[in-house]
């Protein structure tokens, strides 16, 4: 009997949860319509994926319903397209999502405990109430972990956003500008503003997190290492899998491969499916000549993310180093088909030709890599190396 009730609870929760998620997002959306002048978008079942969603529009309010089974709509997102929204109005819009969840739970509780309804109906309302309480809790309690949206930008849960707005009004405007730069992939300006915030005395983990990440994106690994070291000393208890992954990348790029491998291990202990950690640890294994271990990491990264171009070209290099020339070249070609602008694919192909002492082809591929991205790791050193072999200055 208990198993039957449990199964019934799980089944109904699976079916009814998308409704409470929708109500929560409508809490944000309705207030946003009143307080802003532009469109408001609500996503159900994704964090901003419009391509794989059905679109429904009602004047300024639009819905994007993920094409997967509605029973898998376990999360949502509300986006205001008006960029000129006051902090007070932002607070109202953000807080009304959890409030709607709480109001919904209160209504269900009243019907359950103060009205006379059929048992089956009460059971359904009970599931609704629990789901609404859950929505309220997971959104209102601040969570330091950033939420990565489908376009690659980042945001936080409602509680963390409210914490930002309430507690940090003095620096929030600068933080918002820096975050906008970051989300628009303008990492030079983002890192400059984030550094300024920290140097002015701001000491919050999420500011350090974005500072380190934006500096790593600009390939300024020396400066990134300085801020990463401070971040680690002050907020290591709040490190996420991605934080350890960034730390490992920075240390590896500076030649500290042993310490980098320790960080990648910690990252993967926290999230064994972190494909960036798998790929970057694999590349570090290549740099120290442990090609078999590298291939294991690339295999898993590709299994998790079949279109991960960098994992293919790196696995190709590792295979070539182990003598599997045909398999390695096939992986590099696959990488190029996935991303024609992948500079590392051309660099790795250049390494193949260099090892075969075909220095002209090596130089040709190195220069192509440089043309695509002049910050490709070690590309300048490799070009100098092959030019020496060719007797060029």
């Amino acid at each position: 009997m208990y198993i039957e009730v449990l199964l019934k609870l799980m089944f109904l929760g699976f079916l009814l949860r998308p409704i409470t998620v929708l109500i929560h997002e409508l809490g944000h959306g309705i207030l946003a319509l009143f307080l802003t002048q532009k469109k408001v978008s609500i996503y159900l079942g994704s964090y901003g994926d419009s391509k794989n969603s059905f679109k429904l529009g009602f004047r300024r309010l639009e819905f994007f319903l993920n094409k997967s089974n509605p029973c898998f709509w376990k999360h949502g997102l509300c986006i205001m397209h008006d960029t000129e929204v006051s902090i007070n109005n932002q607070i109202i819009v953000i807080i009304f999502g959890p409030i709607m969840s709480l109001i919904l739970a209160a209504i269900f509780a009243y019907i359950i405990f103060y009205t006379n309804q059929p048992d089956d109906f009460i059971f359904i309302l009970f599931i609704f109430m629990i789901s609404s309480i859950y929505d309220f809790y997971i959104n209102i309690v601040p969570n330091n972990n950033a939420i990565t949206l489908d376009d690659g930008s980042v945001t936080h849960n409602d509680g963390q956003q409210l914490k930002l707005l309430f507690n940090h009004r003095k620096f929030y405007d600068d933080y918002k500008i820096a975050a906008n730069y970051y989300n628009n992939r303008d990492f030079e300006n983002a890192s400059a503003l984030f550094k300024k915030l920290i140097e002015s005395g701001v000491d919050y983990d999420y500011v350090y997190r974005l500072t380190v990440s934006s500096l790593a994106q600009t390939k300024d690994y020396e400066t990134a290492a300085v801020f990463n070291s401070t971040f680690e000393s002050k907020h290591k208890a709040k490190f996420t899998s991605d934080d350890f992954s960034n730390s490992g990348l920075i240390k590896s790029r500076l030649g500290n491969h042993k310490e980098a491998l320790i960080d990648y291990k910690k990252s993967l202990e926290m999230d064994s499916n972190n494909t960036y950690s798998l790929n970057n640890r694999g590349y570090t294994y290549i740099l120290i000549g442990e090609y078999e271990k590298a291939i294991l990491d690339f295999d898993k990264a590709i299994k998790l993310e079949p279109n991960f171009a960098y994992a293919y070209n790196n696995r190709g290099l590792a295979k070539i180093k182990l003598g599997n020339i045909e398999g390695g070249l096939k992986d590099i070609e696959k990488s190029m088909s996935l991303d024609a602008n992948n500079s590392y694919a051309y660099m790795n192909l250049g390494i193949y030709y260099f090892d075969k002492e075909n220095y002209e082809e090596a130089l040709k591929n190195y220069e192509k890599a440089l043309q695509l991205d002049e910050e490709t790791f070690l590309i300048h050193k490799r070009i100098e190396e092959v030019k020496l072999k060719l007797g060029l200055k």
Side-chain angles (χ1 to χ4, degrees):
M1 179 178 178
Y2 291 111
I3 295 177
E4 182 180 346
V5 172
L6 181 60
L7 290 174
K8 190 175 180 181
L9 277 169
M10 293 174 62
F11 179 71
L12 286 174
F14 193 65
L15 289 177
L16 302 178
R17 173 139 182 73
I19 299 175
T20 62
V21 172
L22 171 61
I23 298 298
H24 176 92
E25 298 304 331
L26 279 173
H28 295 307
I30 291 171
L31 263 293
L33 287 174
F34 281 108
L35 298 175
T36 68
Q37 302 299 317
K38 296 184 180 180
K39 284 194 308 181
V40 176
S41 300
I42 290 178
Y43 295 84
L44 291 177
S46 77
Y47 286 127
D49 184 3
S50 57
K51 293 182 179 179
N52 297 306
S53 300
F54 297 106
K55 181 180 177 181
L56 299 174
F58 303 93
R59 295 188 179 181
R60 287 196 296 121
L61 180 62
E62 57 185 13
F63 293 88
F64 291 92
L65 312 178
N66 192 268
K67 292 178 182 179
S68 65
N69 190 317
C71 293
F72 291 97
W73 295 348
K74 298 178 182 178
H75 57 260
L77 175 71
C78 179
I79 295 179
M80 296 182 288
H81 293 272
D82 192 339
T83 58
E84 301 297 325
V85 184
S86 70
I87 288 181
N88 288 337
N89 284 346
Q90 289 182 60
I91 289 172
I92 294 171
V93 170
I94 292 169
I95 204 170
F96 215 77
I99 285 176
M100 280 295 289
S101 296
L102 194 60
I103 290 172
L104 195 63
I107 291 171
F108 292 141
Y110 177 82
I111 297 173
I112 291 169
F113 295 110
Y114 294 99
T115 66
N116 187 18
Q117 303 293 335
D119 289 345
D120 287 343
F121 185 56
I122 291 294
F123 191 79
I124 293 172
L125 291 180
F126 178 77
I127 302 300
F128 267 126
M129 181 183 73
I130 295 300
S131 182
S132 299
I133 293 172
Y134 177 73
D135 284 331
F136 173 78
Y137 176 78
I138 64 170
N139 283 283
I140 201 64
V141 176
N143 189 330
N144 290 320
N145 293 330
I147 298 170
T148 302
L149 306 184
D150 284 80
D151 64 359
S153 61
V154 294
T155 187
H156 301 278
N157 79 335
D158 296 337
Q160 186 67 19
Q161 291 185 61
L162 289 170
K163 182 178 177 181
L164 263 173
L165 292 166
F166 278 123
N167 297 337
H168 317 310
R169 288 172 182 256
K170 291 182 180 178
F171 75 86
Y172 183 74
D173 285 342
D174 285 340
Y175 174 83
K176 184 180 177 183
I177 293 170
N180 284 336
Y181 279 134
Y182 184 92
N183 289 334
N184 289 318
R185 306 189 66 79
D186 183 352
F187 299 115
E188 290 284 353
N189 281 319
S191 61
L193 274 178
F194 283 131
K195 283 165 55 182
K196 182 179 176 182
L197 284 171
I198 291 175
E199 289 164 356
S200 70
V202 174
D203 186 25
Y204 295 96
D205 59 294
Y206 50 85
V207 180
Y208 274 102
R209 182 170 293 116
L210 292 177
T211 305
V212 171
S213 177
S214 57
L215 284 166
Q217 294 284 354
T218 65
K219 310 293 194 299
D220 186 358
Y221 297 114
E222 289 81 6
T223 307
V226 174
F227 283 91
N228 186 63
S229 178
T230 306
F231 180 26
E232 188 173 12
S233 66
K234 293 186 174 184
H235 302 288
K236 191 172 183 177
K238 296 180 180 178
F239 259 40
T240 65
S241 175
D242 287 338
D243 292 330
F244 280 114
S245 184
N246 283 330
S247 182
L249 174 65
I250 292 163
K251 291 173 182 177
S252 179
R253 289 294 188 262
L254 294 176
N256 301 323
H257 302 310
K258 184 176 180 180
E259 292 182 17
L261 290 174
I262 293 172
D263 282 341
Y264 288 136
K265 181 181 178 182
K266 291 176 181 177
S267 171
L268 292 165
E269 285 173 349
M270 298 179 77
D271 179 5
S272 62
N273 294 332
N274 189 324
T275 54
Y276 289 102
S277 289
L278 288 166
N279 178 66
N280 290 337
R281 185 174 71 172
Y283 191 74
T284 301
Y285 280 138
I286 287 178
L287 292 175
I288 61 176
E290 297 191 21
Y291 306 117
E292 294 89 350
K293 290 182 179 179
I295 289 175
L296 291 176
D297 278 346
F298 299 137
D299 284 345
K300 184 172 182 180
I302 290 168
K303 183 178 180 181
L304 290 167
E305 195 173 329
N307 293 326
F308 196 175
Y310 288 100
Y312 275 106
N313 68 252
N314 288 332
R315 188 176 71 175
L317 177 60
K319 286 180 178 180
I320 289 169
K321 289 293 187 180
L322 288 172
N324 182 2
I325 307 299
E326 184 178 346
L329 290 176
K330 185 177 179 180
D331 273 348
I332 292 176
E333 289 171 356
K334 174 68 174 180
S335 173
M336 290 175 173
S337 71
L338 292 170
D339 181 2
N341 295 318
N342 181 356
S343 64
Y344 284 87
Y346 287 96
M347 183 178 72
N348 290 348
L349 191 58
I351 294 171
Y352 159 74
Y353 283 117
F354 185 89
D355 289 349
K356 289 179 67 68
E357 299 183 1
N358 187 343
Y359 301 125
E360 291 83 0
E361 281 297 316
L363 180 59
K364 177 181 175 182
N365 281 279
Y366 288 159
E367 289 179 337
K368 177 65 175 178
L370 181 66
Q371 177 186 346
L372 290 170
D373 182 2
E374 64 180 15
E375 298 295 334
T376 302
F377 185 57
L378 296 179
I379 190 60
H380 294 283
K381 179 181 178 181
R382 296 192 186 282
I383 289 175
E384 289 178 9
E385 186 179 37
V386 75
K387 282 186 174 181
L388 282 175
K389 292 290 187 181
L390 291 169
L392 302 172
K393 292 183 179 181

